[in-house]
Amino acid sequence: MASNWRSPMPAPPSPSELVRPDAVHRTVYTDTAIFDAELERIFGQVWFYVGHASEIPEPNDFVTRDIARRPMLMTRSRKGEIHVLLNRCRHRGATVCRRESGKASRFTCPYHGWSYANSGELNGVPWPEAYGPDFDKTQLPLHGARVEIRHGFVFACLNPSAPSLSEYLGAAEEILEMWVSRFPGSDLVARNGKHKMVVPANWKLVLDNSVDGYHPAFSHRSLLQMASRYGDGRDMSYFADSPDNGPLYIQSLGHGHSLCDQRPAYDGAGSYFAQQRPAPGREFIESEAKKNLGEGAVNALDLSVGAQMNFTIFPNLLLIGNQIQVLDPISVDQTVLTWFATTSPELPDSINTLRMRHQEDFPAFGEPDDLANFAECQRGLAIPEVEWVMTNRGLGDMDRVTIEGEVTTGPVTHEHPARGHFAFWRDLMEGLWLK
């Protein structure tokens, strides 16, 4: 009998050999050398999300972040300007700030006392005479990133030669504006309370799943069954009812960005709130809103539930409903996933309270399903004898796909966003993006 056993893999192939039109090689999720290269060739080259301006509302506020093994500071200077700095003393490499958040006009390294302004400049060095007459403090600031802000979302780039944020976002910039413009005054606040999860899986498994409309009917069956007790048509039930032929769609937006749009499953104003699953205090707040807000209650209550958009900005920002998710790759098989709830300062306190309750729903009842799948995918992908991971759904159904420039649109169960992620991943890993 002929054997299907394959020979041991030779030296690691180039990224272009790891990405096919219909599949990717398992090592893109499992190989430590590939992961280490991603930290430089992806996170060191493109724009990535750092935080929201509402987290540092006043002069001298700061928060610390870890992004792809880079400890960082997001600060607001005394002049009100936002900076993103590498949290690493220029002397011997120690972190200069070791708190998650606070207020500081300067940061003093605990190791040897070098002191930096919150805008990055090196202010003071103990006993500077020993460095000699040529020592120039202006040449040793905290390393800063390029910073651009969209609707309060703070993006940074460590590559001085990369295109502008608008060029990088492309079609995704309009989607971000659409997501934010739902709120009165297009204003929102990222809450300080974070929901942090450690995922025993590669960061790209989380990214691939973020706009995957194929899995909810199976992975989230218990959530859908729970919701069905309260009647038909509840949030996400449309994924279980022939999603291939439904109105929902997904888009690959270029540069690895993507969108899963569930809004076509709703019937307009009022339907978003009506279809949401139960939440503590829901009935009382609904009654009070209708009494106090009149006709405005419908829109306010709709804003208490999710946007019905899963939106990904490559490589680390996921907007899920009303929540901000941030990916932080720790190792080839470990990722930190942090959820930030959002509120709107223009909405009544009661609506924001209900909004917070609704935002507890999916992380508690749906995300555990996803985390279990990520972990089990990582286990399965460790098997060396099965080399390829299929991303081919939709390739046999191209009559239902439209392509306009960089934007590919198709049924919600297709996999062209994953193919888009990896096409851009391949270009970045090959160093082709800026050529």
Side-chain angles (χ1 to χ4, degrees):
M1 179 181 296
S3 173
N4 290 325
W5 191 264
R6 65 172 183 81
S7 300
M9 180 183 286
S14 69
S16 61
E17 296 176 283
L18 299 174
V19 179
R20 301 190 325 206
D22 64 341
V24 296
H25 198 270
R26 70 173 189 88
T27 53
V28 304
Y29 301 104
T30 62
D31 188 273
T32 299
I34 290 175
F35 175 82
D36 289 343
E38 289 174 337
L39 300 183
E40 292 188 31
R41 298 181 190 179
I42 294 178
F43 288 89
Q45 299 296 319
V46 305
W47 290 91
F48 53 84
Y49 176 71
V50 180
H52 196 270
S54 62
E55 297 179 75
I56 48 172
E58 299 178 354
N60 298 327
D61 285 348
F62 73 87
V63 294
T64 55
R65 291 285 186 266
D66 288 296
I67 299 173
R69 290 184 179 169
R70 294 171 175 87
M72 293 188 173
L73 279 160
M74 184 173 75
T75 70
R76 191 181 289 272
S77 73
R78 63 182 179 85
K79 296 179 180 179
E81 299 168 338
I82 291 179
H83 299 266
V84 175
L85 309 167
L86 295 183
N87 186 5
R88 183 243 193 235
C89 182
R90 294 297 300 273
H91 178 220
R92 298 285 287 276
T95 55
V96 299
C97 180
R98 302 173 189 183
R99 294 172 55 193
E100 285 194 9
S101 62
K103 188 178 287 286
S105 61
R106 67 179 59 204
F107 301 99
T108 300
C109 179
Y111 193 9
H112 292 103
W114 284 35
S115 180
Y116 301 86
N118 60 13
S119 51
E121 297 87 353
L122 177 59
N123 280 344
V125 173
W127 310 301
E129 295 80 8
Y131 293 100
D134 295 330
F135 182 72
D136 184 356
K137 290 189 299 184
T138 66
Q139 300 304 306
L140 291 169
L142 293 178
H143 190 89
R146 295 166 62 190
V147 174
E148 291 198 41
I149 302 170
R150 294 293 185 278
H151 306 288
F153 288 80
V154 180
F155 294 90
C157 184
L158 297 168
N159 179 2
S161 302
S164 69
L165 178 61
S166 287
E167 292 177 85
Y168 179 66
L169 291 178
E173 186 159 15
E174 182 179 349
I175 305 298
L176 180 60
E177 184 170 343
M178 183 190 310
W179 189 86
V180 173
S181 66
R182 299 173 300 119
F183 307 112
S186 297
D187 198 7
L188 72 146
V189 173
R191 309 307 303 184
N192 289 331
K194 301 184 290 290
H195 194 161
K196 187 172 288 189
M197 303 174 175
V198 179
V199 187
N202 186 272
W203 66 280
K204 296 185 296 299
L205 288 170
V206 185
L207 191 76
D208 295 344
N209 185 76
S210 62
V211 294
D212 182 298
Y214 193 26
H215 77 280
F218 312 101
S219 297
H220 302 309
R221 185 170 297 176
S222 60
L223 177 62
L224 298 178
Q225 289 176 343
M226 180 271 288
S228 69
R229 300 174 190 169
Y230 299 90
D232 296 332
R234 294 286 172 169
D235 181 33
M236 291 182 60
S237 63
Y238 34 77
F239 282 115
D241 186 19
S242 302
D244 256 359
N245 301 311
L248 278 62
Y249 64 90
I250 54 169
Q251 291 182 317
S252 178
L253 303 169
H255 290 163
H257 317 314
S258 52
L259 170 71
C260 173
D261 198 344
Q262 303 161 51
R263 292 172 300 170
Y266 292 81
D267 296 326
S271 62
Y272 293 88
F273 181 74
Q275 291 179 226
Q276 182 61 35
R277 291 180 290 274
R282 174 185 167 98
E283 292 79 7
F284 174 78
I285 294 174
E286 178 184 11
S287 174
E288 290 296 297
K290 290 178 178 178
K291 180 169 48 177
N292 297 328
L293 301 177
E295 294 181 358
V298 171
N299 183 56
L301 290 168
D302 274 352
L303 287 173
S304 76
V305 305
Q308 311 311 324
M309 289 186 280
N310 286 22
F311 175 38
T312 297
I313 295 180
F314 187 92
N316 72 325
L317 174 61
L318 315 176
L319 298 180
I320 308 294
N322 283 334
Q323 299 180 93
I324 300 170
Q325 281 189 351
V326 186
L327 296 180
D328 178 25
I330 300 298
S331 66
V332 71
D333 58 1
Q334 189 173 66
T335 304
V336 173
L337 177 61
T338 306
W339 297 65
F340 294 83
T342 65
T343 56
S344 171
E346 304 297 326
L347 289 173
D349 289 345
S350 60
I351 298 296
N352 277 322
T353 296
L354 184 57
R355 182 183 176 91
M356 296 293 285
R357 298 292 78 78
H358 282 144
Q359 288 177 111
E360 292 168 345
D361 176 276
F362 190 80
F365 298 108
E367 191 70 347
D369 301 326
D370 291 328
L371 266 58
N373 283 334
F374 302 151
E376 292 305 312
C377 284
Q378 197 72 35
R379 286 187 66 211
L381 291 169
I383 299 171
E385 290 76 26
V386 186
E387 297 187 63
W388 293 96
V389 180
M390 304 309 298
T391 59
N392 59 333
R393 186 168 178 80
L395 286 175
D397 193 21
M398 292 300 290
D399 290 344
R400 301 172 65 199
V401 172
T402 60
I403 301 175
E404 299 180 11
E406 290 190 321
V407 179
T408 301
T409 305
V412 74
T413 60
H414 281 199
E415 291 175 335
H416 54 261
R419 295 192 288 272
H421 293 162
F422 275 104
F424 189 51
W425 178 91
R426 177 195 58 215
D427 289 348
L428 288 168
M429 296 292 283
E430 291 277 16
L432 299 177
W433 179 48
L434 298 176
K435 290 185 178 181

